[in-house]
Amino acid sequence: MAKLNDILSPFTAWKHVVREPVTIKDPLNREAADRYRGFHKNDISECIGCGTCESICQNAAIDLVPVEGVDTKDGDSGLRPRVDYGRCCWCGLCVDVCTTNSLSLSNEYTWVDEDPDSFRFVPGAENKSWDNREKGYKKPGNGYELYNPKREAMEELEPEKRDQSFIEIVQGYSKEQAEQEADRCVECGICVATCPAHMGIPEYIKAIRNDDLNEGLRVLYDTNPLPEICGRICTHKCETVCSVGHHGDPLSIRWLKRYIADQNPAEEYKKILNTENLQPTGKKVAIIGSGPSGLSAAHYLALMGYQCTIYEKLPAAGGMMRFGIPEYRLPYEQLDKDINYILSLGVEIKYNVTIGKDITLEELHNQYDAVFSGTGLHMGRSTRVPGTDHPKVYQAVDLLRDIVLGKEVPVEENIVVIGGGNVAMDITRSLARLQKQKYGKVGVLATSLESEDIMPADREEVIEAREENAVIDPGWGPVEIETEGDKLKGLHVVKCVSVFDENRRFAPKFDEEQKKFFPADMVVESIGQGMDLSYLPEAFKEQLDMDQRGRILVNDDFQTSAGWLFAGGDIIQGPDVIHGIANGHKAAMGIDKYLSEK
Amino acid sequence: MSKKLLKWNEDRTLFPEKNSEGKIDVDYDSHKFMKIWHGPQHPGITGNMSLELTLLGDEVMDCETHVGYLHRGFEKLMERRKYIQCFPIVCRVAVPEPDFNEYCFASAMEELAGIEVPEAAEWLRTLVLEMSRLQSFLAWIGGQAGSLGQGIIGQWTIYLRDLILDRFEELTGGRIYHMYMLPGGVRGLLPDGFRQRMTENLDEIEKFMKDVKKVMFDNAVFKKRTVGMGVIDPAWINPFGITGPNARAAGVAKDVRKDNPYLKYPELDFEPVVGKDSDIYTRADVRRRDLLMTVDLIRQIMTKIPDKGDIRAKTPNVLHWKVPAGETYSRAECTRGEYGYYMVSDGTEYPRRINVRGPSYTHAVALLEKMIVNANIADVAGLMVSLHTYPPEIER
């Protein structure tokens, strides 16, 4: 028998009859919450088309597509994400992982259209009503990161332990450090396009993560036969465009490359790289200069079976890598590790041979099937301000070469270096070390036209130079080197207010009112280098296609108008080791094409 | 019609008679039996699941459950995706209660990788799990009432559930699929004013639940149709793997929050709600009281949840996170009982094996097939809903 209460109690429901309905009258115009994950927005001026959003999307709802008005350039693929709302599940992981924070979701959630194709669109490129909505889902703050934005610190010698010697500063990564740094990579490949050699950067970084360093070495050697060298002194254009660097520290690609090369023993290279049994073609190639382009060309030609002979003017191989870069940045043993492997492939180097003097270009042409020239930029340029003809004014490249050759280098107590590039920093820091050895103190100052923010030297070079007690005082233009007989008094400078004109052409402007005087006993000029093509006979030069500035013109295969002569490296596209390596590689393929068709 | 059929025996446990193979002898040619399909067109709120019923008159003689109408293959999909890419999948394993999937998957990863989640994120996860329980209970209670003819309760509770979905939208950015708990932490702190709005919502829910009690539970019709119906014998609990309110209504106080404390539950004051009679009414009442306890837990959590702090621990890059090799089982107490993820990692970027232990499977297949025999066809939906199962969780 039911209780009376159980019969009456349900009538309580009737009290709600007079209650105001809670139904939303116009649900399409209900504003969503501030964080709502609605339709996509993308600031395409910030986006670099790295494709990380595409790679995280498990629904394959995002494709990277070309967009009108967006060009491919360094650090920007020129592509932009297109979202397909037939696939998107609005999880928002694309927003969380976006390396530039350009992608977000508006809190708009209604979209009516008769055309189903319209629901596949490129946010930011196709105007939508929600583009200017402030509200919506954005990447959370409070340390919320899907990858680590902080770079794994590199251990370096303390300034006080390094400022008297030329021992290597950078210590290199341990296995754990390398794997943690490699873990930060988002595999976007933006770096590959920017690297002149188009190295397989994501692949070798992946090899580190997989602890497969043999595979890493194979990837390195696909495009770069000087990994120990590049792993130390490459200008790492890849890092300047690294997508992780937009909101964090760029990946330490250079040190990771070095880690792979360091961990693979030299005696196993041929086995790992499967170069124990190369098949000779019977053809011979002469290479002038053993710098990065010459060594690179020799390496790839040797792999293809060509007998290569390198003619080197100096008593050791490496070109500017050995005679321009101080040992504290690039130890000779590491340089030799790369070079010796190339020699092990059958490449021969004839040292102390000057082309045009010991052997002529014509003789090379007659003795070999093709010739490659990568003679580099070994001649220092002068500011030509009054006083530069004084005997205590030197060229940086000459001093750096003399240090390597073990010659006695003049070192005064007060030195001024003119220049703000890497060579200027190299000579500044080298002289600082020599001063410390000789006088127990450092008295070197480097000044440049460029202000600190646009100095061409790598940032770490400037920082480390200061740590070693060198003074860097940028933003000044040299006016005159004051001398008094045999003595050099110092350098007069005026303020440089701008270096380039509106067309980015070199056109420095000065404020003559702002003057400074840097006292010095010795001045070193380091404002760039020039090439020495004196080994080319004048008659031959006249036949060769050259530009107005006297540079040899080459085609895409780095072949000159002479046909049998190829050229690359700094004299064509420098000054940069990685450009030289890339040139050498392309030239090797060009020579192979030329000789195959011959 | 035979005389035997007209002869009614009050002891329905004797029927149907089984043959030596343990099956009932069904002779359709005799016209005594009829086979009908119950579902899959949402009878009650049982979703895509369907029952193949053999009836004798209006009495169920046999039942075979069919859960094959989803074909999503969640577990297999996860083996083909990187860990982070599993999250948009896991939250769809139980549509009305996605957060337990997120939590179990994330915590399994964290356990294998040895990652400690920040304090604030732990509290926020606890909050979200209880919010998820609350909205799931509210959706269920409307379904239970509706399956037995009380549509008004569904209208009220769906409204109440919407209030919680509003808070979900505010906190997580999503109403149904929240994607809030990622490995290492959560995706955001409490928005400004959240506590006040949540408190207002909880007050409203508590107020309405008093009317739900009067209209649904203190209702002669509801009692007539549920008291003594669909009894789960406590002896079945372990053999059938019954957990949650279905077990607690039978007097077995199983609750993962107490048995295997996780997140911030040890810092909260609560006792599992337990019933005695184990019938549909008791299970419904246990869930109603559990719902009110969840309201109380959310109030407790809101007094303790921090406004500031890290929300995500440092983890490896999710794009190629190699979870250390090993296996683990991570579990949590959802509205329907024990939810668990058995995760096997072989040390690669992809899970080697994911097995979801959803409470629906144990309750909806073998248990339902056993309980439904001798039920009236009119009570099938009510009985089914009383087990509180979600079909996507059954067919994974």
Side-chain angles (χ1 to χ4, degrees), chain A residues 34-87:
Chain A
D34 290 0
R35 284 183 196 172
Y36 190 75
R37 298 196 300 269
F39 301 129
H40 285 74
K41 296 193 300 181
N42 191 19
D43 181 348
I44 59 167
S45 63
E46 286 289 311
C47 178
I48 55 167
C50 68
T52 314
C53 50
E54 181 186 26
S55 59
I56 202 169
C57 180
Q58 75 97 18
N59 294 315
I62 297 180
D63 293 311
L64 270 286
V65 295
V67 169
E68 201 176 329
V70 177
D71 298 323
T72 303
K73 57 188 179 199
D74 275 353
D76 186 343
S77 70
L79 305 173
R80 293 296 179 263
R82 180 180 65 191
V83 184
D84 181 354
Y85 282 156
R87 288 172 169 271

Side-chain angles (χ1 to χ4, degrees), chain A residues 553-598:
Chain A
L553 291 174
V554 291
N555 63 15
D556 291 343
D557 292 329
F558 289 83
Q559 186 178 29
T560 67
S561 57
W564 54 271
L565 179 65
F566 292 73
D570 289 356
I571 56 168
I572 301 295
Q573 205 179 15
D576 186 351
V577 169
I578 191 67
H579 270 107
I581 290 167
N583 290 181
H585 190 183
K586 283 180 192 159
M589 292 189 285
I591 291 168
D592 179 53
K593 193 165 109 185
Y594 167 71
L595 295 181
S596 302
E597 291 168 356
K598 200 173 175 184

